[in-house]
Amino acid sequence: MTRRKIGFVASDAPEAEEALARLTRRYTNVPPEEADVIVALGGDGLMLESLHKHMDRHVPIYGMNRGTVGFLMNEYSEDDLVERLERADLVQLHPLRMVAERKNGQGETQTALAINEVSLLRESRQAAKIRVSIDGVVRLEEMICDGILMATPAGSTAYNLSAHGPIIPIGAPLLALTPISAFRPRRWRGALLPAKADVVFDILEARKRPVSATADYTEVRDVTRVTVKEDRSLTTDLLFDPEHNLEERILKEQFLP
């Protein structure tokens, strides 16, 4: 069995820093930039940060929960880490690519990636007015709302679930389109889209009703148009213990009281 080079990263939470100190004393490790597997100690925020940072290297990341929710993390244990890494299941995810245009009169655009979701939110007391087009067809001429989001299967249990969006099994080629406090159309509860869908959000009355767009933790203010599409040229690799795999947790989440 080939021993893989392990690199540890940790959040600044005391529990994570203490775990980092203990594990680096116990296991041979290298800087994360030189590792062929990264062990992330913290919560889901650290996992997202690590996935973004190391996406270009295509290095698998194994998380251990030293945070709050830890939906993307495995249970924390200092024992048998090498063996756990060897038998871990691999889950591959494709991020969403957001292209946001701003209302500065210069046609400025900003691109960002999202592993969880892209969300549009009103910036002021005025409700947002958003037109939604999918694959070139206008599906909602005018939506009056606090916002709208588009979530991946991995992100469907995060902000999307809090906004009453559907939970998507991890292997399903689907994306969730979920309104946030919609006033009109009042009865629209969102939609499931094919993963290949090309979605465009046009901000109506953008000067009077400013809207921001956020891809995971990258925010763009005062947008006029936002395009979102899955980027299949990029892949993130997550490792999970077989008895603690992501697909099973997503399934269980749908039956919680």
Side-chain angles (χ1 to χ4, degrees), residues 41-66:
L41 306 166
D44 288 340
L46 176 73
M47 175 59 84
L48 285 177
E49 181 182 331
S50 301
L51 289 169
H52 278 276
K53 184 175 181 179
H54 299 282
M55 193 180 303
D56 291 342
R57 292 186 54 225
H58 209 64
V59 58
I61 301 179
Y62 178 89
M64 286 201 287
N65 190 18
R66 293 284 82 188

Side-chain angles (χ1 to χ4, degrees), residues 10 27-28 40-41 43 77 82 117 126 161 196 204 247:
Y27 296 96
T28 302
L41 306 166
S77 174
V82 174
E117 78 277 318
Q126 296 277 6
L161 182 59
K196 63 181 181 179
L204 309 178
E247 187 167 354

Side-chain angles (χ1 to χ4, degrees), residues 93-97 113 195 229-235:
L93 307 174
H94 300 291
L96 299 175
R97 181 174 293 275
L113 298 173
K229 188 173 185 178
E230 185 182 70
D231 189 339
R232 297 195 67 83
S233 70
L234 296 173
T235 304

Side-chain angles (χ1 to χ4, degrees), residues 1 6 12 89 95 131 140 176-177 184 206 237-238:
M1 180 173 60
I6 302 172
D12 57 5
D89 292 332
R131 177 185 299 126
L140 287 176
L177 184 65
R184 290 286 188 275
D237 294 344
L238 287 78

Side-chain angles (χ1 to χ4, degrees), residues 22-256:
R22 291 194 295 268
L23 288 166
T24 52
R25 284 195 299 266
R26 184 166 178 177
Y27 296 96
T28 302
N29 61 91
V30 299
E33 295 75 19
E34 301 174 15
D36 52 29
V37 60
I38 291 173
V39 175
L41 306 166
D44 288 340
L46 176 73
M47 175 59 84
L48 285 177
E49 181 182 331
S50 301
L51 289 169
H52 278 276
K53 184 175 181 179
H54 299 282
M55 193 180 303
D56 291 342
R57 292 186 54 225
H58 209 64
V59 58
I61 301 179
Y62 178 89
M64 286 201 287
N65 190 18
R66 293 284 82 188
T68 305
V69 179
F71 192 82
L72 298 175
M73 316 299 276
N74 297 284
E75 292 181 359
Y76 178 76
S77 174
E78 296 172 26
D79 299 327
D80 304 319
L81 177 59
V82 174
E83 290 75 12
R84 289 175 74 184
L85 292 175
E86 289 297 331
R87 67 185 184 89
D89 292 332
L90 176 67
V91 173
Q92 293 189 315
L93 307 174
H94 300 291
L96 299 175
R97 181 174 293 275
M98 176 187 81
V99 180
E101 300 178 21
R102 301 188 64 229
K103 64 177 185 182
N104 60 2
Q106 301 176 11
E108 178 186 338
T109 64
Q110 185 170 338
T111 300
L113 298 173
I115 294 165
N116 267 4
E117 78 277 318
V118 171
S119 57
L120 280 67
L121 293 169
R122 65 185 176 107
E123 295 179 11
S124 71
R125 62 182 178 82
Q126 296 277 6
K129 288 188 176 181
I130 302 172
R131 177 185 299 126
V132 181
S133 303
I134 301 169
D135 295 329
V137 178
V138 176
R139 297 296 182 182
L140 287 176
E141 187 64 47
E142 181 182 275
M143 180 180 175
I144 304 174
C145 57
D146 280 356
I148 190 169
L149 66 84
M150 193 167 161
T152 67
S156 67
T157 57
Y159 190 8
N160 174 71
L161 182 59
S162 298
H164 307 292
I167 295 175
I168 304 174
I170 196 66
L174 296 170
L175 301 170
L177 184 65
T178 302
I180 302 170
S181 300
F183 180 68
R184 290 286 188 275
R186 186 163 292 180
R187 291 184 175 83
W188 187 67
R189 294 294 181 261
L192 286 172
L193 307 180
K196 63 181 181 179
D198 193 339
V199 181
V200 177
F201 304 101
D202 285 301
I203 311 307
L204 309 178
E205 302 179 26
R207 190 172 298 278
K208 179 182 178 182
R209 304 169 184 273
V211 169
S212 67
T214 303
D216 283 353
Y217 48 73
T218 301
E219 183 184 28
V220 183
R221 306 281 288 182
D222 302 331
V223 297
T224 55
R225 168 174 280 204
V226 178
T227 301
V228 183
K229 188 173 185 178
E230 185 182 70
D231 189 339
R232 297 195 67 83
S233 70
L234 296 173
T235 304
T236 58
D237 294 344
L238 287 78
L239 295 173
F240 291 95
D241 294 329
E243 65 276 11
H244 199 62
N245 67 75
L246 186 59
E247 187 167 354
E248 172 62 18
R249 271 180 283 170
I250 286 178
L251 186 61
K252 287 172 63 176
E253 191 79 22
Q254 297 177 77
F255 294 91
L256 293 178

